[in-house]
Amino acid sequence: MPIKNIIIHFLKKESQEKESAIIPRDSVLSVNPQTELLLEKILKAYNAKTDKLYSSFDQQNSLFQSKLSGYLNDGADFVEFTSQAMALLKSELDKSNLSTGGFIIFLHYTVSMTEFFMALMINNSEGMKVDDQMNLDHTRYLDIGKLHLACRINLSEWALNQQSD
């Protein structure tokens, strides 16, 4: 599963607060065994979800679609594109007092010669681990099994048919 680009930003928002804050990363993550394992775990969790909803772009009025197209077709920088996507997400989440933030992972990757773009929100969880000396230690980890929000776009299909659902 070759990763073309991956980045993580953070959207800080507490439940019942109106405003959120973006904590951006200023460069893409290196593609290495850790990022490849992250993608593998994300896809496993995503594919295991049974309550997926499907949607399509509003062909007349999709700012996100325009930004994504700029990245894919016009050579826009991935970091800049994801920063713009974060601003769009922030404006939507700020409309609700009930929504919360989390780590927003943006992935552009290929599986079986099909290109995908994925954006998802994951939070940290608290846990315990046993260290090398068999002592208990507190740890925080990405709780990939609890995808809060996830969006996957089949870029190969979209490139072949702009009107595709």
Side-chain angles (χ1 to χ4, degrees):
M1 290 180 281
I3 297 173
K4 294 184 177 213
N5 279 304
I6 180 172
I7 194 167
I8 302 173
H9 299 293
F10 187 72
L11 187 65
K12 183 179 179 185
K13 183 169 187 203
E14 300 298 327
S15 183
Q16 303 303 320
E17 287 184 8
K18 186 73 174 158
E19 285 290 313
S20 60
I22 297 171
I23 302 170
R25 180 176 168 89
D26 61 2
S27 62
V28 295
L29 292 167
S30 298
V31 176
N32 57 39
Q34 288 81 15
T35 52
E36 290 171 352
L37 180 60
L38 175 65
L39 175 59
E40 184 181 314
K41 289 182 178 284
I42 286 170
L43 292 179
K44 184 176 180 181
Y46 179 82
N47 291 333
K49 286 256 185 224
T50 58
D51 56 347
K52 294 181 192 101
L53 299 175
Y54 295 86
S55 185
S56 61
F57 291 124
D58 175 353
Q59 298 295 333
Q60 305 304 314
N61 187 27
S62 175
L63 195 50
F64 176 78
Q65 178 183 5
S66 166
K67 302 295 183 192
L68 179 59
S69 183
Y71 160 66
L72 295 170
N73 302 319
D74 302 333
D77 179 66
F78 190 72
V79 176
E80 179 63 26
F81 157 62
T82 60
S83 295
Q84 293 169 347
M86 286 294 292
L88 294 171
L89 178 61
K90 177 188 180 325
S91 85
E92 289 300 314
L93 288 181
D94 286 352
K95 294 176 184 177
S96 169
N97 288 351
L98 300 177
S99 57
T100 60
F103 293 97
I104 312 298
I105 302 173
F106 294 96
L107 284 155
H108 180 188
Y109 63 97
T110 304
V111 174
S112 301
M113 297 179 50
T114 302
E115 267 190 80
F116 291 96
F117 171 79
M118 183 177 258
L120 53 129
M121 182 184 295
I122 301 177
N123 283 314
N124 273 335
S125 284
E126 305 285 325
M128 299 294 290
K129 69 176 185 172
V130 177
D131 66 17
D132 293 340
Q133 288 76 39
M134 302 303 155
N135 294 312
L136 287 176
D137 192 11
H138 178 264
T139 189
R140 295 180 69 178
Y141 62 93
L142 282 176
D143 198 351
I144 296 169
K146 294 182 183 174
L147 292 178
H148 294 283
L149 293 171
C151 164
R152 184 173 72 171
I153 300 167
N154 183 326
L155 298 175
S156 297
E157 183 178 335
W158 186 39
L160 292 174
N161 180 6
Q162 291 284 312
Q163 305 305 315
S164 171
D165 287 341

